[in-house]
Amino acid sequence: GRARLSRWDGRGVEEEEAEEEWHQLYPGHIPTSPLQKALLAAGSAVMALYDPYRHDMVAVLGETTGCLALPNLRDKMKRHPEGHRILQERPRIRLSTLDMARLRGLPDGSLGREYVRFLEDNKVSPDTRMPPKFVDDEELAYVIQRYREVHDLMHTLLGMPTNMLGEVVVKWFEAVQTGLPMCVLGAAFGPVRLSARKLQVLATELVPWAIRSGRNASCVLNVYYEQRWEQPVESLREEIGIFPPP
């Protein structure tokens, strides 16, 4: 079918492939129309609600619905000295960039030591964060990549595990902080799978605390975490404006 189309409009396959590559703004980028984004958003929302642990669907949902929130986050970073430096230097949080042995050797209570403890206790890896595909701006693609890679640091700072209760609490905090529709959706519909006892704890203690902390805290994307590994978690919480966990 493609060969017939190429003969009809007079263009060869090589020319079509070169045009597709020209539209690719960064490695892995898939250009999509507004309609395609809407269809991807609807499909990924259904799948993410059905299985909240489908991180690939959650990622697609975040990219296809973040057209307003991502520029706002980028602007907050540009107006902040530390955030602006992050945008300029583009650090990545991956196993290839982390000195895990050094982080394990840091004192208990430090950001680096508690971050590694979180990764090991919950058997998660920063390398599982998917690269962006559907964000049609190279700088905004980095913003959502950065958001994904600091997600585990939010768990560390908030003292929340990776079970459903912990994920819902972190999503409430992130929803207030980022305004990403994906976070709002996860915060609103995540609790439907929780038991009555956990729902009570969530409603009376954890959600009010997460919302207050999210409103009070400065933008969490403006922290150069890679240069804060030795800082005590309690000190960083206080600096950002996160209230102590209940």
Side-chain angles (χ1 to χ4, degrees):
R2 180 169 185 172
R4 293 176 65 185
L5 178 61
S6 299
R7 287 197 298 271
W8 177 261
D9 63 13
R11 295 188 303 164
V13 172
E14 294 82 2
E15 185 178 348
E16 290 181 356
E17 290 178 345
E19 183 178 341
E20 290 176 2
E21 184 176 355
W22 184 80
H23 285 296
Q24 192 177 57
L25 301 176
Y26 50 86
H29 173 234
I30 301 176
T32 47
S33 68
L35 176 59
Q36 289 172 320
K37 281 185 172 59
L39 294 173
L40 284 167
S44 59
V46 171
M47 290 303 300
L49 289 173
Y50 177 76
D51 182 2
Y53 290 103
R54 282 290 304 270
H55 299 298
D56 54 340
M57 293 294 98
V58 175
V60 172
L61 181 61
E63 294 176 32
T64 53
T65 60
C67 55
L68 297 178
L70 289 176
N72 183 49
L73 289 171
R74 186 263 317 276
D75 293 345
K76 286 183 179 180
M77 295 178 74
K78 283 188 170 182
R79 291 193 297 265
H80 188 276
E82 201 163 336
H84 182 71
R85 192 151 57 88
I86 292 169
L87 278 178
Q88 294 294 312
E89 299 178 6
R90 305 284 179 91
R92 297 291 307 277
I93 300 177
R94 303 184 61 79
L95 291 177
S96 60
T97 65
L98 297 173
D99 186 344
M100 298 295 284
R102 173 178 170 267
L103 297 183
R104 287 191 190 96
L106 292 175
D108 289 342
S110 64
L111 177 65
R113 182 67 189 94
E114 297 310 315
Y115 173 62
V116 171
R117 196 190 311 278
F118 168 83
L119 296 178
E120 294 175 343
D121 288 351
N122 293 280
K123 297 179 174 58
V124 294
S125 166
D127 288 0
T128 60
R129 302 301 169 191
M130 292 182 60
K133 296 179 181 179
F134 302 108
V135 179
D136 295 329
D137 182 285
E138 187 268 341
E139 192 172 45
L140 297 182
Y142 175 76
V143 172
I144 199 165
Q145 182 76 54
R146 182 66 175 177
Y147 157 75
R148 290 173 183 168
E149 293 183 357
V150 304
H151 176 74
D152 290 335
L153 283 158
M154 294 305 98
H155 276 273
T156 305
L157 287 170
L158 295 170
M160 289 293 123
T162 58
N163 59 22
M164 186 56 65
L165 181 64
E167 289 291 351
V168 169
V169 174
V170 173
K171 279 291 176 283
W172 274 103
F173 176 83
E174 291 179 339
V176 175
Q177 271 277 305
T178 67
L180 286 166
M182 173 265 296
C183 296
V184 176
L185 192 68
F189 290 96
V192 298
R193 295 171 177 264
L194 297 176
S195 66
R197 184 179 64 83
K198 290 182 178 179
L199 280 173
Q200 182 179 7
V201 174
L202 188 71
T204 59
E205 297 183 33
L206 295 176
V207 168
W209 163 72
I211 292 175
R212 286 193 301 113
S213 290
R215 288 175 175 170
N216 187 65
S218 57
C219 179
V220 294
L221 294 185
N222 286 336
V223 180
Y224 212 138
Y225 297 98
E226 297 89 330
Q227 298 179 358
R228 306 291 196 100
W229 294 131
E230 298 178 1
Q231 185 172 353
V233 168
E234 291 186 7
S235 168
L236 186 54
R237 277 186 194 140
E238 184 177 353
E239 178 185 335
I240 295 174
I242 298 174
F243 298 115

